Structures are given as structure tokens and as C-alpha cells.
Amino acid sequence: SKIAFVGLPCTIKAFRNAIDYQPRKFLKKDLFFIGLTCGGMKSRGFSEFLFMKNSGDKKNIKSINYRTKKPNRKADNYGYEFKCENHNGEINTVEIQFKEDIDKYWNGGYFQLNSCFFCDDIFSELADISVMDAWLPEYVDDWKGNNLIITRTSLGEKIIKDLISNKHLYCDIIDYKEVIRSQQGVIKKKRQRMQFRTQIMQKENKWVPLKRPAEDIKLSSAEKYYYLNLFHVAKLTRELWAINKNTSLIEKSVGLIYRSHNIKIKCYK
């Protein structure tokens, strides 16, 4: 009868909608929602691409750990760890680091889901509590990592206070502005640049989901160039990978996008 659901903003919204549409299925269910702060999701091709680029055949992947931590690295330079099987049936481990091997592709739009470009829920607003990495100078040096927590309901507040009083959780109280500062890059990409992405779709006579009013911020040509290309890179990598799993071809094709759209950006000034 008790369910704790950990999810992204979109999956928690879907769960809440399911409760509204089919309330009988959730009668006498004690539900608690833990929301993750999200800057956007990738398709499974993203993991396959990184593994093949750094190791070998994706068919050999047995498991993936998306958050490995080492004492000699800062919290924001975590790793992805792939466990794979070789031709002798032995399990080998391949680890890549975010800043050296992942960042370029993560922030370059590779394999991003199209729906994520039009999501403005960063902090899981429909959850009981929202959690996120503490990307702040005073915390990032701790290789084990720290989290920021937002309590959104009386139930969420009670659970967190009980954990603190029972010494299962250690918390500092910080100003909400520090939470914003810790996720400034995500806020800029998802919330403050929403208007520009919407304008692109409208110029192409494409359907745009109804969203809350977005900030109309004037972008430089370089910023427009960057955000326009994210669209094309995301679409190309998803579609091309589905028919040809070749890492070199993916990177060459993305390079062509950046060169060809350097002129087209003038259309969106």
C-alpha cells in the first residue's frame, strides 16, 4: 500500500495524470514522489555511442553505472562505468569520465529527446521533494557528492525533518538563491531559452506544446547558433544511429551541421 516513486519531472507528471484519470487504481495507496532535477534526457543511443567510441561492440554491454566516484576527482567529474563481456565470457570494466569523455556530447545535443527541448519543469515541481546535485564551490570538492533538497509538501517536509532528527540525514539550510545558482546552466538552457526554441518551431509551421509564458531574452548570434544546432544535432544523431551505428560517421555528420548552419542562423536574428 506504500509506494515511493523516484522520477524525472515528466514521469512524475505522467504519474499524477494517471491518478487523475484512473483514481480507483490508486485508492488506499500511500504515495510519495521523489523528483530529480533534470536538464534533459537522452535516448539509449547515447550510452551505446559512448561505449562503442571508447570500447567496442554495444552488444557486449551487461550493465551501466552512470555515477562512479573516485577520491582523486571532484564530484562534478564523475564517471560512467560499463561492464562488458569479452569473447571468452569474461566481464571487463570500462570507465569514462564526464569532463574528458562525456561533456562534449552531453552538452552538444547528441541523442537528446525532442520533447526535452520544450520542457520547462527543471525542479520536479509536482514531487513531494526535489533533489539535485549540489554544484556549488563549497560542495563540489567533496568527491562523494552532496545533494540539495527542496521540500514541496507537508509530507515531504515531515519525512526530511524526521530523517534529520534521527540523524539519518545531515542538512544545512541554504538560501533559495543558492539552489538557483547551483543549476544556473540548466535554468538558462531549459527556461530562459524556451522562447527562442518556440519561435523556431513556429517559423517552420510546426506544432508547439502549450507552455507557461517564457522569458523573452535577446540572444546573441553565437547563442542562436548554438541553440539552433542543438535541434539538428539531436535529430540527426537519433535518426542516423538507428540505421548506422558508426561513431565516426555520427561525429562527421555533426561537424557538417555546425558548418552548414553557420549561415542559416541569420534567419533567426
Side-chain angles (χ1 to χ4, degrees), residues 232-250:
H232 295 282
V233 170
K235 185 174 187 292
L236 178 139
T237 50
R238 292 195 316 268
E239 295 180 354
L240 184 56
W241 190 256
I243 58 176
N244 191 340
K245 292 177 172 51
N246 183 314
T247 58
S248 296
L249 178 62
I250 290 285

Side-chain angles (χ1 to χ4, degrees), residues 8 36-41 106 112 116 121-122 186 189-190:
L8 300 173
L36 306 176
T37 293
C38 182
M41 277 295 292
W106 181 269
Q112 176 125 344
C116 297
D121 185 352
I122 299 166
V186 177
K189 183 173 71 172
K190 286 189 72 173

Side-chain angles (χ1 to χ4, degrees), residues 25-221:
K25 289 191 174 183
F26 300 96
L27 288 175
K28 299 181 180 179
K29 299 292 185 184
D30 191 2
L31 299 169
F32 184 70
F33 292 92
I34 302 170
L36 306 176
T37 293
C38 182
M41 277 295 292
K42 308 292 187 181
S43 73
R44 64 179 294 170
F46 185 72
S47 298
E48 295 173 348
F49 169 82
L50 289 175
F51 178 73
M52 290 182 67
K53 181 174 174 58
N54 291 278
S55 178
D57 191 344
K58 70 176 183 64
K59 295 178 182 177
N60 297 328
I61 300 175
K62 295 301 178 183
S63 65
I64 307 173
N65 179 354
Y66 290 101
R67 187 59 69 94
T68 59
K69 307 173 184 182
K70 298 289 178 64
N72 62 336
R73 300 199 303 246
K74 291 187 177 182
D76 60 352
N77 194 23
Y78 52 86
Y80 285 10
E81 183 181 85
F82 298 87
K83 288 192 180 298
C84 49
E85 185 177 357
N86 64 22
H87 63 280
N88 294 321
E90 299 170 332
I91 302 298
N92 296 325
T93 298
V94 176
E95 187 192 43
I96 57 177
Q97 295 181 33
F98 187 81
K99 290 188 176 180
E100 289 80 2
D101 308 302
I102 304 168
D103 189 15
K104 169 186 174 182
Y105 306 105
W106 181 269
N107 288 308
Y110 281 60
F111 300 95
Q112 176 125 344
L113 303 183
N114 191 56
S115 57
C116 297
F117 287 115
F118 301 96
C119 173
D120 56 3
D121 185 352
I122 299 166
F123 296 104
S124 289
E125 297 167 28
L126 299 178
D128 291 291
I129 65 170
S130 303
V131 296
M132 69 208 77
D133 289 295
W135 297 144
L136 293 169
E138 56 267 40
Y139 296 112
V140 77
D141 286 337
D142 182 357
W143 66 274
K144 294 179 181 178
N146 289 273
N147 284 106
L148 304 181
I149 304 172
I150 301 172
T151 57
R152 298 190 175 278
T153 63
S154 56
L155 176 60
E157 182 80 5
K158 181 182 183 303
I159 288 177
I160 295 299
K161 285 184 175 179
D162 287 347
L163 288 171
I164 294 172
S165 63
N166 293 327
K167 297 186 178 179
H168 293 307
L169 188 67
Y170 177 78
C171 282
D172 294 324
I173 305 299
I174 65 173
D175 190 89
Y176 76 93
K177 292 179 182 178
E178 292 299 289
V179 177
I180 294 173
R181 186 165 70 94
S182 77
Q183 306 296 322
Q184 194 59 58
V186 177
I187 293 171
K188 182 178 180 180
K189 183 173 71 172
K190 286 189 72 173
R191 186 75 60 78
Q192 296 177 348
R193 302 303 182 255
M194 177 69 76
Q195 185 71 22
F196 177 64
R197 294 193 291 272
T198 301
Q199 289 172 354
I200 291 175
M201 297 293 281
Q202 290 171 340
K203 284 178 181 289
E204 297 177 356
N205 294 317
K206 293 181 178 179
W207 177 81
V208 180
L210 182 64
K211 311 301 294 185
R212 75 189 99 185
E215 296 180 70
D216 190 8
I217 298 175
K218 290 186 177 181
L219 305 182
S220 66
S221 295

